[in-house]
Amino acid sequence: MARANEEVEALLQEYADLIAITGGDAFKARAYEKAARAIGGYHADISTLDAKGLREIPNVGKSIADKVIEYLRSGRVSTVEETRATIPAGVRELITIPTLGPKKAMVLHEELGITSVDQLLDAIHQQQLRDLKGFGEKTEANILHGIALMQKAGGGRILINAAMDVAEQIVAELSRIPGCERCAYAGSLRRMRETIGDIDVLVAAERSAPFMEALGGLPATAEVIAGGEKKMSIRTTKGLQVDLRVLPPSSWGAGLQYFTGSKAHNIRTREIAVRHKLKLSEYGLFDAESGDVITSETEEEIYARLGLPWIPPPLREDRGEIAAGLRDELPDLVTDGDIKGDLHTHTDLTDGLAPLEDMVAAAAARGYAYYAITDHAPNLFMQRMTEEKILAQRERVRGLDRRHHGMRLLHGTELNIGPDGDVDWPEEFLNGFDLCVASVHSYFNQSRQDLTRRLVRACEHPNVTVIGHPTTRLIGKRPGVEADFDAVFEACARTGTALEVNSHPERLDLRDEDILRAKRYGVKFAVNSDAHAITHLPYMRYGVGTAQRGWLTKDDVINTWPLAKLRRFLRKGRP
C-alpha cells in the first residue's frame, strides 16, 4: 500500500544510520539522509522513473540512483544488506530508541555487549552506563525517556497519514465491486485521531462474500487473521490490521455510528436511548419492549431520535459533546473548504525540496486565495540564510504575486526562538516581512521556568505573529517541551499572537487537548502544513482534523479569514 517513494526513503535512511554506526564518512551518511528526504517528498512515483529521471530529484546522484533502481527491480540493495550483516541485530534495535543515536548504540554494544532494549534497561538500573565516556545520569534519564516513548508508540499504532493511505485505497477497491451500496472507513481514523491502532472498514451490501474475497485477494494483504459470514480481519504486508464488516443497507447509519465510536461516546448515546426506553446497537435503534426498529438507515436519524443533532466524528470523545448537543450548542467546526491559505511553508532556499515556483503553483492548484513562503532565518546555521538571499527571494515572490489565478503571495520567514527568547534579525529588518512565524528548534531540555519565559517573550515580540509547532513534539520520537502552556496561552491572547496547529502527521502540534485549553483563553490559531515539499501541502487535512477535535470554528482560525482581515491581524497593532 505504501508508495515506492516511502519504501526507498526508509531504506536510504536506514543505510545512513548504518554508515553512522560503523563510523563511516559523516558526509556520506548526510548525503543519504538528504536523498531519503528528497525521495520521500518527491511528487512523482519513483517506480515510474528510470535512472536519468531519478537523478533529476534533488540530492540524488548516480550512486544513489543505481541503488534505487536495484531496489525497484529486486526488492533489495546488496550494499545495504552487506552493511546490515556487519552490525548485530540488537544494535539495529537500539537505534530505534528516540534520544539514542547510532554512535552511542555502538558504544553500548562494544563496551557492555548490549544487544537488546531489555539488556539496556538492566544496565541502566545497575548504573553501568555511568563509567562510559559521554554517558552520565542525564544520558540515562534521556534513554529511559526514549524507551518509554518507543513503547508508548508501539502496540501497532501508526501515524494517521499512513493509516489513511491504506484505508482510502481499500475503500476505493471495495466500492468498485457490484452490489456495494456504501463503503467507508470508521473507528479512530474517522475521528481523526493522531495515531491509529487498526482500520475499520464498513460496507453496505446484501451479499458479503464478494467483499471478503476481494479484501483477502488484495496485493497488500499478507494474511487473513479471522473470517466469518459478515466480518473479516486481515493483516497487511506492513503489519496493519484491517477489520471489514458488511452490513445490511438498512442498518448502515446504526453501524457507522457504532463502529466510529469512541467507546465512551457510545456509552453516552446508549444511556440516552435507555432513558427513552429504546435500545441502540450496531443494527439499529429499537423499541426496548417490542423490539421494533425505530430507525437505522442514517446517523442523522439515529441522533435525531435521541434528541441530538448529528455530532461530527472528531467530537465523539465524550468531552462534553453530548451535553452541548442537548443544549444545541455544538460548534460549527472549521472544514477543509474553509481554509483560504497556508501560512507556513518552505522552499529549497533552506530545507525544502522544491523551488519557489513549484510550491506556489502547487498551492494555487489547491484553490488557495493566499499563500505564505516562510523559509528559515539565519539562526538555524545549517540553512545558511543571509539578508541578501531572503531579499532576493522577496523580489521573486513579488514577481509571482497574482500570477496564479489571482492568488496573493505573502513573504514571511520562520524565525528561531533562541534559548532566552530572542529571534533572528532586528525589528527594523523584520518589519519588511508580511508575517513572521517563530518556533523553538533546540534547547528542549531547559527548565520549565526558562522555557515558559522563552515562549512568552517570543509572543511579546511585535513582529512575531504565529508560534510554530508550539510544543515541538514529534509523535513517538520526542515529547513536547515542559513549559507552563497556560501562561503561554494567556500571553498569546494578550499579545494577539496565533498558535499554530502544525498539520505534519509527525507533529500535529498543538494537540487537540492543548487546543481546547488554549481556546478558553481566547487564542486564535493558524492551521498550517509546514510543507517542505509539494507532497506535504495536502497534510492540511490532518491539521484541520486536529482543529476539529479541538472544537475550533472558522472564527478561531486566522487562515480562514479574508486577506484584508488577516493582514490586520498580522500587523499586531503596528502601523
Side-chain angles (χ1 to χ4, degrees):
M1 292 283 182
R3 289 197 318 156
N5 301 47
E6 294 160 1
E7 294 176 358
V8 171
E9 178 184 18
L11 181 73
L12 295 181
Q13 181 58 57
E14 179 192 0
Y15 189 45
D17 291 338
L18 294 175
I19 293 169
I21 290 173
T22 55
D25 186 342
F27 289 102
K28 182 178 179 181
R30 181 63 176 155
Y32 276 92
E33 286 181 0
K34 288 182 177 179
R37 288 184 59 246
I39 288 173
Y42 195 61
H43 63 279
D45 184 346
I46 62 167
S47 65
T48 65
L49 303 178
D50 58 13
K52 181 181 178 182
L54 287 169
R55 289 196 297 271
E56 291 176 359
I57 300 173
N59 302 312
V60 176
K62 183 180 184 302
S63 176
I64 293 175
D66 289 345
K67 290 181 176 64
V68 174
I69 291 292
E70 181 183 356
Y71 177 79
L72 294 175
R73 287 175 177 168
S74 67
R76 59 189 292 277
V77 176
S78 56
T79 307
V80 177
E81 293 192 352
E82 290 167 6
T83 310
R84 277 184 190 141
T86 66
I87 301 169
V91 178
R92 299 202 300 271
E93 179 186 356
L94 294 181
I95 66 172
T96 64
I97 301 171
T99 72
L100 182 66
K103 290 183 179 179
K104 276 189 165 58
M106 199 62 181
V107 169
L108 291 171
H109 172 67
E110 291 175 342
E111 298 293 331
L112 300 177
I114 293 173
T115 59
S116 73
V117 174
D118 288 340
Q119 289 178 358
L120 177 56
L121 284 169
D122 289 342
I124 291 173
H125 294 319
Q126 295 169 22
Q127 299 185 358
Q128 294 178 4
L129 273 63
R130 299 184 185 184
D131 295 331
L132 299 177
K133 184 178 180 180
F135 290 78
E137 288 186 48
K138 190 170 183 180
T139 307
E140 289 179 345
N142 287 338
I143 293 172
L144 286 172
H145 190 69
I147 293 172
L149 275 175
M150 182 176 69
Q151 292 171 339
K152 184 178 179 181
R157 298 194 73 83
I158 65 171
L159 297 180
I160 186 173
N161 62 315
M164 189 68 78
D165 287 345
V166 173
E168 290 185 334
Q169 290 180 51
I170 290 177
V171 167
E173 291 288 342
L174 298 184
S175 296
R176 285 194 283 266
I177 296 174
C180 178
E181 295 194 17
R182 297 188 183 188
C183 184
Y185 56 82
S188 55
L189 183 58
R190 189 172 179 232
R191 301 198 314 276
M192 297 298 287
R193 285 198 59 181
E194 62 195 33
T195 61
I196 310 299
D198 51 46
I199 295 172
D200 294 294
V201 176
L202 306 182
V203 167
E206 298 293 350
R207 296 179 61 243
S208 59
F211 302 94
M212 307 296 181
E213 293 172 8
L215 182 61
L218 290 177
T221 297
E223 63 173 322
V224 175
I225 302 170
E229 184 180 353
K230 299 290 185 182
K231 60 183 179 180
M232 179 182 191
S233 296
I234 62 106
R235 182 169 289 110
T236 71
T237 53
K238 298 298 181 183
L240 182 61
Q241 182 170 324
V242 179
D243 299 324
L244 170 65
R245 290 170 175 84
V246 181
L247 308 167
S250 60
S251 297
W252 175 257
L256 187 60
Q257 193 277 333
Y258 178 86
F259 289 111
T260 295
S262 66
K263 181 179 179 180
H265 176 85
N266 285 355
I267 289 172
R268 294 288 188 187
T269 55
R270 288 200 296 273
E271 288 173 347
I272 294 174
V274 169
R275 290 200 296 270
H276 286 80
K277 298 183 179 180
L278 301 171
K279 180 182 177 181
L280 178 61
S281 74
E282 64 265 43
Y283 301 106
L285 187 62
F286 302 89
D287 184 287
E289 293 184 5
S290 68
D292 293 338
V293 177
I294 303 298
T295 186
S296 61
E297 290 191 10
T298 70
E299 284 190 320
E300 288 82 358
E301 292 170 349
I302 296 288
Y303 281 109
R305 187 60 182 79
L306 297 176
L308 290 163
W310 179 77
I311 298 177
L315 296 186
R316 300 182 196 178
E317 297 290 353
D318 191 29
R319 293 195 287 209
E321 72 276 7
I322 297 291
L326 291 171
R327 297 192 305 267
D328 196 25
E329 294 178 358
L330 284 174
D332 186 8
L333 296 178
V334 63
T335 68
D336 291 336
D338 293 327
I339 300 296
K340 295 187 183 300
D342 197 334
L343 302 180
H344 181 180
T345 69
H346 298 271
T347 75
D348 61 358
L349 183 62
T350 53
D351 59 347
L353 301 176
L356 169 67
E357 290 78 6
D358 291 355
M359 293 297 289
V360 170
R366 296 180 59 78
Y368 288 149
Y370 46 80
Y371 178 73
I373 297 90
T374 55
D375 275 314
H376 290 288
N379 282 3
L380 285 182
F381 299 109
M382 74 287 290
Q383 307 304 339
R384 299 179 181 178
M385 178 58 77
T386 64
E387 291 187 12
E388 291 74 20
K389 285 183 180 180
I390 201 74
L391 290 176
Q393 183 188 66
R394 184 175 299 166
E395 290 302 310
R396 293 169 62 200
V397 168
R398 299 303 184 225
L400 290 169
D401 191 24
R402 297 181 186 266
R403 290 193 181 183
H404 289 274
H405 310 293
M407 184 177 74
R408 300 305 307 271
L409 297 180
L410 304 177
H411 188 236
T413 183
E414 184 180 10
L415 303 169
N416 184 55
I417 302 174
D420 58 358
D422 287 337
V423 297
D424 325 57
W425 285 317
E427 286 184 29
E428 183 178 349
F429 188 73
L430 292 178
N431 285 336
F433 289 97
D434 295 314
L435 78 158
C436 297
V437 178
S439 310
V440 170
H441 294 104
S442 58
Y443 297 96
F444 304 123
N445 295 322
Q446 285 183 304
S447 71
R448 178 181 173 88
Q449 183 180 16
D450 287 343
L451 279 162
T452 304
R453 185 185 303 114
R454 179 181 179 186
L455 285 163
V456 168
R457 188 175 177 196
C459 294
E460 292 173 340
H461 194 289
N463 295 95
V464 171
T465 46
V466 179
I467 300 295
H469 43 78
T471 76
T472 79
R473 73 157 182 175
L474 292 173
I475 298 172
K477 297 179 181 179
R478 184 174 73 210
V481 294
E482 290 291 330
D484 179 356
F485 276 97
D486 286 292
V488 176
F489 299 155
E490 187 280 327
C492 285
R494 170 171 52 82
T495 60
T497 308
L499 286 170
E500 181 175 71
V501 180
N502 189 294
S503 301
H504 196 291
E506 293 183 2
R507 290 189 184 274
L508 295 179
D509 180 13
L510 287 173
R511 304 177 306 154
D512 52 1
E513 296 96 333
D514 295 327
I515 294 169
L516 281 163
R517 283 168 52 206
K519 180 178 167 72
R520 298 188 188 107
Y521 285 87
V523 174
K524 297 301 181 185
F525 302 84
V527 181
N528 298 323
S529 70
D530 193 5
H532 286 65
I534 289 169
T535 53
H536 296 171
L537 291 171
Y539 287 163
M540 183 68 77
R541 67 188 296 195
Y542 305 118
V544 171
T546 302
Q548 291 175 334
R549 290 178 60 80
W551 294 50
L552 296 189
T553 68
K554 284 173 57 176
D555 184 58
D556 298 314
V557 179
I558 65 172
N559 50 319
T560 68
W561 297 352
L563 181 58
K565 181 179 179 181
L566 173 65
R567 285 190 183 277
R568 288 195 296 273
F569 180 88
L570 296 177
R571 296 305 296 174
K572 286 187 78 167
R574 290 178 287 124

